[in-house]
Amino acid sequence: KIFDTHLFDQTHLKVKSDEGFQPINAIHSTRPYLEWKIKTKTGKTLICADHHVFYDENFKKIRASELYNGDKIQTEDGIEEIEYSIFTENISSMYDIAVMSINHRYYTNGLLSSNTVMSGIFIT
């Protein structure tokens, strides 16, 4: 594990969001998930879990596995078009952060993301 939330106080850590920098409540290693690679036409890329949550052009939540070429998502530079969204055929553990904000949004490699269900469980 890169982060063990029991070894240090992570309340001083913050992550960039569309509402400024937000405090992180927890960081956890996940079980293995199917990997998807997302790339926007401007070159922003992310390898993430199939259920990783993004926001479309209307701020509606959309999972990585539901994105198609040409779809539009929120980024730190505004709305961008998806160049491709592909299943990599890999499975790996990932890291999930819980953001302490009303909207639970944060940027991941410049792409606007959201806490997942697992983060919600850990916050509760």
Side-chain angles (χ1 to χ4, degrees):
K1 289 184 179 180
I2 293 175
F3 297 101
D4 186 339
T5 57
H6 301 290
L7 294 179
F8 66 94
D9 175 14
Q10 64 274 349
T11 57
H12 67 283
L13 298 176
K14 294 187 178 188
V15 65
K16 186 177 180 182
S17 81
D18 59 323
E19 299 175 316
F21 284 87
Q22 300 297 320
I24 294 173
N25 186 41
I27 303 169
H28 299 277
S29 178
T30 68
R31 68 173 176 82
Y33 283 105
L34 300 174
E35 283 184 6
W36 283 75
K37 185 171 184 179
I38 309 299
K39 182 178 179 188
T40 67
K41 291 211 172 184
T42 65
K44 290 179 181 66
T45 60
L46 181 67
I47 295 176
C48 58
D50 54 339
H51 72 278
H52 186 94
V53 177
F54 296 100
Y55 288 90
D56 72 9
E57 58 199 314
N58 299 309
F59 281 92
K60 180 181 172 194
K61 291 181 180 182
I62 187 165
R63 296 183 186 278
S65 61
E66 300 169 333
L67 286 172
Y68 294 97
N69 301 356
D71 284 351
K72 295 180 178 151
I73 61 171
Q74 300 285 336
T75 77
E76 64 185 339
D77 297 318
I79 296 169
E80 293 189 21
E81 190 173 331
I82 298 294
E83 182 174 322
Y84 62 78
S85 173
I86 57 171
F87 173 50
T88 68
E89 299 187 17
N90 295 324
I91 298 172
S92 64
S93 292
M94 308 205 183
Y95 291 91
D96 198 13
I97 65 171
V99 179
M100 295 188 325
S101 72
I102 292 172
N103 291 314
H104 305 287
R105 295 189 301 241
Y106 59 95
Y107 290 115
T108 315
N109 287 6
L111 307 174
L112 192 59
S113 302
S114 178
N115 288 353
T116 64
V117 172
M118 287 307 295
S119 293
I121 291 169
F122 289 119
I123 290 171
T124 303

